[in-house]
Amino acid sequence: MAANKERTFIAVKPDGVQRGLTGEIIKRFEQKGCQLVAMKLTKASEELLQQHYIDLKDRPFFSGLVQYMGSGPVVAMVWEGLNMVKTGRVMLGETNPADSKPGTIRGDLCIQVGRNIIHGSDSVESAEKEIKLWFKPEELVNYTSCASDWIYE
Ligand code: DAT
Ligand code: MG
């Protein structure tokens, strides 16, 4: 895979959707120069969310997290670009909005860790796992953006 074709899984969580922040979040990824590969509004099942957060299953906040994530629709997306997983995490900010710098999505748009409005894969391996979990292969759209020659040298 070409270096600028790395993919990450990004989801606007139910609080982000309900607060009307989906457009602002998509705008930030578009303006950065990332390429949208897949997107859907979906209400995630408990099974999907338990799989998605399987690494956190022993943490005290796990059941509350699964309940919150299933409490309303999420906007699930795949974004592509150079070092997209790392770039996505930098754009999100820290897990706890209180530790997130201004200019990041969590630093600018939310306050508490349990309502931190957005998910982003934390490694290339988790991105691959999460993209498979949330999307069917045919939902990922391969195309070349006409802007790519102006974003990459
Ligand atoms: P991230 O979403 O930054 O990858 P994570 O994978 O460690 O963070 O945790 C997943 C989500 O779980 C996180 O976005 C919010 C919630 N969470 C994490 N730590 C928490 C805590 N101490 N109390 C409540 N919720 C927490
Ligand atoms: Mg995580």
Side-chain angles (χ1 to χ4, degrees):
M1 190 180 280
N4 59 6
K5 292 278 181 189
E6 187 174 290
R7 289 175 173 181
T8 194
F9 175 72
I10 299 289
V12 184
K13 295 179 176 181
D15 48 343
V17 175
Q18 294 288 349
R19 292 179 53 207
L21 297 172
T22 304
E24 170 66 26
I25 288 168
I26 291 173
K27 187 186 84 174
R28 289 181 180 219
F29 282 85
E30 281 189 319
Q31 289 189 338
K32 177 78 175 165
C34 313
Q35 186 172 323
L36 186 61
V37 170
M39 176 163 68
K40 65 183 164 192
L41 179 76
T42 178
K43 200 149 179 286
S45 69
E46 200 177 320
E47 301 87 273
L48 187 154
L49 293 168
Q50 282 174 348
Q51 276 307 310
H52 177 80
Y53 282 127
I54 191 86
D55 295 347
L56 300 172
K57 66 177 189 321
D58 297 327
R59 304 296 289 274
F61 55 83
F62 180 73
S63 70
L65 174 64
V66 168
Q67 198 179 11
Y68 147 64
M69 286 294 288
S71 65
V74 307
V75 175
M77 297 177 275
V78 178
W79 287 92
E80 185 176 271
L82 181 66
N83 298 325
M84 193 59 239
V85 171
K86 173 79 194 310
T87 296
R89 292 292 293 197
V90 171
M91 290 168 69
L92 260 60
E94 301 300 319
T95 301
N96 190 337
D99 300 327
S100 300
K101 294 205 167 61
T104 64
I105 292 168
R106 285 168 173 166
D108 287 346
L109 303 174
C110 57
I111 293 173
Q112 261 195 330
V113 68
R115 294 291 182 273
N116 64 2
I117 72 164
I118 185 165
H119 168 82
S121 309
D122 64 4
S123 68
V124 173
E125 296 72 43
S126 12
E128 282 167 8
K129 187 197 105 179
E130 291 167 4
I131 291 167
K132 279 204 189 92
L133 194 59
W134 288 81
F135 288 98
K136 302 185 191 114
E138 63 268 26
E139 290 176 313
L140 307 175
V141 183
N142 296 304
Y143 64 102
T144 303
S145 162
C146 65
S148 67
D149 286 345
W150 298 101
I151 294 165
Y152 299 107
E153 61 180 348

